[in-house]
Amino acid sequence: MFCKNCGAKISDNASFCPKCGTKLVKISNDNASNCITNRDRKVEKNKTIPTKLLIAGAIAILVIACIVSVIAVKRTGTDEENSDYINVADKDKAEILSSDNENAEDSYSDDDIAVDIYSENSGGNDIANSNSEEDADNSESAKDKVMTTETDSYDAPIENPNKKIYESYLEIVQNAKDVEWDNFALIDFDGDDIPELFATCLNENNESMQLYMLQPYMIVGHNDDGVVINDDFADGAASAGGYRGTIYYLPGIGKFHDSAEYAPYGGPADRVYAMNYGKIEKTGDGYFEVDENSIPQGEIEDFDITDYGSWHWNGQVVGKEEYSDNLRSAIENTKGKALCEISCVDKDEMISNLENMTTSNETNTGFYGVFVGAYKEKMRQ
């Protein structure tokens, strides 16, 4: 046999290598030819290392398996919490939104919330789909309610707040006799955006025309209780020669000015009226009283009757300048327009206009709207 240490050939019964002195050991009779040196023992000892590494690896795998098991248990608990979270979201979807995006709640639909929860939490597909279907039904129901409400609001007529006034005007015009009132107009005398009914008569058979040669006027005002008829106005040149005058209305302030002269000397007189709660009442009354005894006899150049007499305003004697100041204050320095110059329509046309206005839901329509628009434009010019 040979020495395992130095390779020298030695006897089969030798205990030491004669060349290197290595001690020889016999393992068994079957392998008497194979001797193992101390160096061989070290080599065998080193060969046991992979086995320990294997054991260590097995332990590491076991530890990892335990960790995975714990994570799986915790994951299951998280899924259950997420499931509860979804249920809570179904009751109060505002809590679902993150604190960083609280203002986005109104822009989310129920379906969007269900999808967001599903994408963030696995295993919630069934719950999310269930909530989504239920929320979709609720959403459709809400839409139906909104559509119904909008339809109801659209179909519900908005009644013209002036309808009752126009109906009263219509009744007055329909019942008017041709010898009383045959021409009509709608004018906003007081500037409240609700017109008054104006009427006059050009029929020669009218009583006022026959007896006094004066043109009559009627102004129908209005208030919360209904309408008020003012029909005792007339102007022109009286047949008896006692009165010659013109009644003016002062646009937008509800006042009227009766400017006249009285025979035989032509002394001036002024009456101012104001519309109050639909009724026209006198608020100012002035005139010049002629002193016949002070009037000089014979022909006089540049004769002025107001030099011979006294001025009166509301029952008191005043000076000429004070009279003028009182009159300007009463009419609010407003230029008037003569009632006799108002553009009117006949009875049939006015009935048609009022019928349209009573059936319309707009405040200013038909003839009145056109007339007032054109009139205001003319006044601005």
Side-chain angles (χ1 to χ4, degrees):
M1 67 178 179
F2 296 93
C3 177
K4 298 294 185 181
N5 184 41
C6 65
K9 185 175 181 180
I10 58 176
S11 174
D12 292 338
N13 296 324
S15 297
F16 294 93
C17 177
K19 185 175 183 179
C20 66
T22 299
K23 186 178 180 180
L24 305 175
V25 179
K26 291 183 179 180
I27 297 176
S28 64
N29 292 332
D30 296 333
N31 297 312
S33 61
N34 296 324
C35 63
I36 301 175
T37 65
N38 289 334
R39 183 178 178 182
D40 294 331
R41 291 175 182 268
K42 293 179 181 181
V43 173
E44 292 293 335
K45 185 176 180 180
N46 290 335
K47 290 181 179 179
T48 62
I49 294 175
T51 303
K52 293 181 180 180
L53 291 175
L54 181 60
I55 295 173
I59 294 174
I61 293 173
L62 181 60
V63 172
I64 292 173
C66 292
I67 293 174
V68 171
S69 298
V70 172
I71 293 174
V73 172
K74 291 185 177 181
R75 184 62 176 178
T76 302
T78 302
D79 290 341
E80 293 175 357
E81 293 176 358
N82 289 335
S83 176
D84 294 337
Y85 188 59
I86 295 173
N87 292 333
V88 171
D90 189 53
K91 295 179 180 179
D92 190 0
K93 66 181 180 182
E95 297 180 1
I96 296 173
L97 302 176
S98 64
S99 59
D100 296 333
N101 196 25
E102 291 178 354
N103 294 331
E105 177 183 350
D106 293 338
S107 64
Y108 272 69
S109 67
D110 294 336
D111 292 342
D112 291 334
I113 295 173
V115 171
D116 289 343
I117 297 171
Y118 170 74
S119 61
E120 294 176 3
N121 304 287
S122 63
N125 185 42
D126 294 339
I127 297 175
N129 289 337
S130 175
N131 290 335
S132 177
E133 293 175 358
E134 181 179 352
D135 294 339
D137 293 339
N138 293 336
S139 177
E140 291 299 327
S141 176
K143 290 179 180 179
D144 292 341
K145 290 181 180 180
V146 172
M147 291 179 66
T148 301
T149 303
E150 291 178 349
T151 301
D152 293 344
S153 177
Y154 179 80
D155 292 339
I158 302 175
E159 185 175 348
N160 187 338
N162 305 328
K163 181 177 180 180
K164 291 183 178 180
I165 296 175
Y166 298 151
E167 289 176 342
S168 297
Y169 292 170
L170 178 60
E171 183 178 358
I172 292 173
V173 176
Q174 289 173 333
N175 294 330
K177 297 179 180 179
D178 292 340
V179 293
E180 293 178 341
W181 312 107
D182 58 3
N183 281 262
F184 303 88
L186 291 170
I187 300 180
D188 184 9
F189 288 113
D190 54 4
D192 63 354
D193 292 330
I194 304 175
E196 282 73 38
L197 174 64
F198 171 80
T200 187
C201 186
L202 302 179
N203 192 323
E204 295 180 356
N205 294 322
N206 177 272
E207 182 179 358
S208 181
M209 296 284 288
Q210 284 185 333
L211 295 179
Y212 309 107
M213 295 299 294
L214 297 177
Q215 184 173 347
Y217 303 108
M218 176 176 66
I219 298 173
V220 182
H222 55 82
N223 54 44
D224 295 339
D225 297 327
V227 297
V228 180
I229 298 177
N230 305 275
D231 58 355
D232 54 352
F233 296 95
D235 66 6
S239 58
Y243 167 88
R244 296 187 300 273
T246 302
I247 300 177
Y248 301 86
Y249 75 91
L250 312 180
I253 62 175
K255 288 189 174 183
F256 304 85
H257 177 204
D258 182 359
S259 177
E261 295 178 351
Y262 283 90
Y265 302 105
D270 298 278
R271 292 186 178 88
V272 179
Y273 301 86
M275 182 171 288
N276 181 26
Y277 208 58
K279 183 175 179 59
I280 298 177
E281 300 174 329
K282 185 169 65 176
T283 58
D285 185 8
Y287 61 94
F288 180 81
E289 184 177 14
V290 177
D291 182 4
E292 296 183 3
N293 296 327
S294 63
I295 298 176
Q297 302 296 320
E299 295 184 0
I300 302 176
E301 294 183 359
D302 300 327
F303 178 81
D304 184 356
I305 192 62
T306 60
D307 292 335
Y308 309 96
S310 57
W311 293 91
H312 298 256
W313 186 262
N314 287 343
Q316 295 183 353
V317 178
V318 296
K320 184 175 182 180
E321 291 186 1
E322 185 178 357
Y323 182 95
S324 297
D325 292 340
N326 290 335
L327 177 59
R328 284 194 296 267
S329 177
I331 64 176
E332 301 182 26
N333 288 321
T334 303
K335 183 179 179 180
K337 182 176 180 179
L339 296 182
C340 61
E341 296 179 356
I342 293 178
S343 299
C344 297
V345 297
D346 60 24
K347 179 177 179 179
D348 292 338
E349 186 171 347
M350 178 55 66
I351 289 176
S352 177
N353 291 330
L354 288 172
E355 286 177 342
N356 291 334
M357 295 174 72
T358 56
T359 57
S360 172
N361 291 330
E362 296 183 13
T363 303
N364 294 332
T365 59
F367 168 77
Y368 169 67
V370 174
F371 178 82
V372 170
Y375 174 73
K376 289 184 178 180
E377 181 65 24
K378 181 178 180 180
M379 292 302 295
R380 282 195 292 267
Q381 297 174 353

